[in-house]
Amino acid sequence: MTKLSHSTREVPVTHKFKLASIEYQPTRTIISVGQHHIGGDELTIIAGPCSVESEEQIHTIAALVAQNGGHILRGGAFKPRTSPYDFQGLGETGLRFLKAAAEKNHLLCISEVMDTQDIDLVEQYVDIFQIGSRNMQNFSLLKRIGQTNKPVMLKRGMAATYTDWLMAAEYILESGNPNVILCERGIRTFETYTRNTLDLAAIPAIHELSHLPIIVDPSHGTGRRSLVPAMAYAAVAAGANGIMVEVHMNPEEALSDGKQTLDPILFEQMIKKINFHLLR
Ligand code: PEP
Ligand code: MN
């Protein structure tokens, strides 16, 4: 066990990450965004389309999310697509639509920032920054986002261990931003029926290792709409601080990730069931 000193305090550190560790901070981090708290006893519901596609699209979905008691509207404007020929997002226009739709429906909003050069722009529109799976170890991005004062949701890299992930969070914390939310979104395994394998053990494991809140994304975590509700219930039962799901009025016509996107009926049923069975 090594001892590292931070400011005036010395704490024994059993892991490579320190600021993110439960040993360093035994009280759980609760992040206040507007009137909402992420962490603690609240279950945060983040929902919205994979991508912001148009003003009308995001306003309709925002109304649906709000009607069902969601807290945060998601919607990508800068999209990390595997193919350069796929829809890349509306950029700043998308962010503008997202923020307006969220405000109109009394929701907060989150969107991904992919590049250090876009941080100032994205910061003007979102309440929470999202760092995507593919950028979990983009260290310049992590350091620079650590200098902002908006909360950051850090998605787990698709081949990252818990240590890799918490070390990535450590970069943000160490740069001065204490408001980091982790997001489990599935990892690559040999399974191909699902897009990724949602690692539910990550929830209690992260709570054992860290004071940071953890959100679960069963949409990217399964890649299949039919599997999303069950995995959302399982995540809540396992102690997740919230869930993030993709929802669209007409998933078959979505410009990205339609297969894993809930339609309004499935979304409403899922939220009702979560509220009914809420285990805490
Ligand atoms: C997303 O949530 O929009 C996304 C691109 O997810 P991930 O980074 O987990 O692939
Ligand atoms: Mn998506």
Side-chain angles (χ1 to χ4, degrees):
M1 196 188 310
T2 52
K3 278 193 169 186
L4 294 175
S5 67
H6 181 256
S7 47
T8 55
R9 206 150 74 86
E10 270 203 354
V11 275
V13 172
T14 42
H15 306 287
K16 288 199 219 154
F17 45 89
K18 180 196 166 205
L19 303 178
S21 75
I22 192 85
E23 291 148 318
Y24 180 78
Q25 187 190 306
T27 54
R28 306 230 162 251
T29 291
I30 297 179
I31 300 172
S32 300
V33 211
Q35 304 296 311
H36 183 68
H37 306 289
I38 301 173
D41 290 335
E42 281 201 56
L43 182 79
T44 298
I45 305 287
I46 308 175
C50 179
S51 306
V52 180
E53 298 170 4
S54 70
E55 190 168 19
E56 195 205 335
Q57 175 243 22
I58 193 69
H59 276 267
T60 323
I61 298 174
L64 175 78
V65 171
Q67 274 156 26
N68 284 283
H71 307 103
I72 303 171
L73 181 67
R74 64 150 287 145
F78 293 96
K79 293 303 300 174
R81 303 307 302 280
T82 300
S83 164
Y85 306 115
D86 286 341
F87 177 59
Q88 302 286 306
L90 295 180
E92 185 172 7
T93 308
L95 291 171
R96 193 154 39 77
F97 293 161
L98 177 75
K99 181 177 161 70
E103 282 178 352
K104 184 158 180 222
N105 292 280
H106 312 288
L107 297 168
L108 298 159
C109 70
I110 182 169
S111 199
E112 176 164 355
V113 59
M114 290 206 297
D115 198 305
T116 48
Q117 74 187 20
D118 299 327
I119 291 179
D120 293 340
L121 175 77
V122 176
E123 192 173 17
Q124 292 169 39
Y125 295 96
V126 302
D127 299 294
I128 305 173
F129 287 113
Q130 176 170 322
I131 304 254
S133 199
R134 291 156 192 81
N135 266 320
M136 190 205 79
Q137 283 186 319
N138 179 338
F139 298 114
S140 357
L141 185 61
L142 298 176
K143 284 186 200 167
R144 177 65 184 77
I145 211 98
Q147 292 163 11
T148 67
N149 46 34
K150 286 209 166 150
V152 183
M153 189 174 82
L154 178 66
K155 296 195 94 177
R156 181 181 182 182
M158 56 188 90
T161 64
Y162 301 151
T163 301
D164 296 338
W165 189 15
L166 288 166
M167 290 304 291
E170 190 80 10
Y171 268 90
I172 303 173
L173 299 170
E174 203 270 331
S175 304
N177 188 337
N179 296 321
V180 177
I181 304 144
L182 299 166
C183 178
E184 163 62 37
R185 47 77 74 205
I187 49 173
R188 279 271 164 92
T189 66
F190 49 77
E191 185 52 68
T192 54
Y193 182 73
T194 43
R195 180 179 179 182
N196 292 291
T197 296
L198 188 67
D199 176 13
L200 291 171
I203 305 157
I206 288 295
H207 286 321
E208 205 162 86
L209 294 167
S210 177
H211 52 86
L212 297 172
I214 177 170
I215 301 277
V216 171
D217 170 357
S219 302
H220 294 87
T222 61
R224 285 176 177 258
R225 178 183 315 132
S226 61
L227 307 182
V228 169
M231 295 313 270
Y233 310 144
V236 175
N241 297 109
I243 55 159
M244 175 161 91
V245 293
E246 289 179 337
V247 59
H248 193 287
M249 300 316 278
N250 189 353
E252 298 308 325
E253 280 172 17
L255 295 183
S256 55
D257 285 352
K259 269 175 58 186
Q260 67 190 36
T261 297
L262 298 175
D263 60 31
I265 292 169
L266 285 172
F267 176 64
E268 194 182 320
Q269 282 173 353
M270 181 191 75
I271 298 290
K272 281 205 175 119
K273 201 154 159 183
I274 289 176
N275 290 335
F276 187 74
H277 287 288
L278 209 52
L279 304 170
R280 50 204 160 142

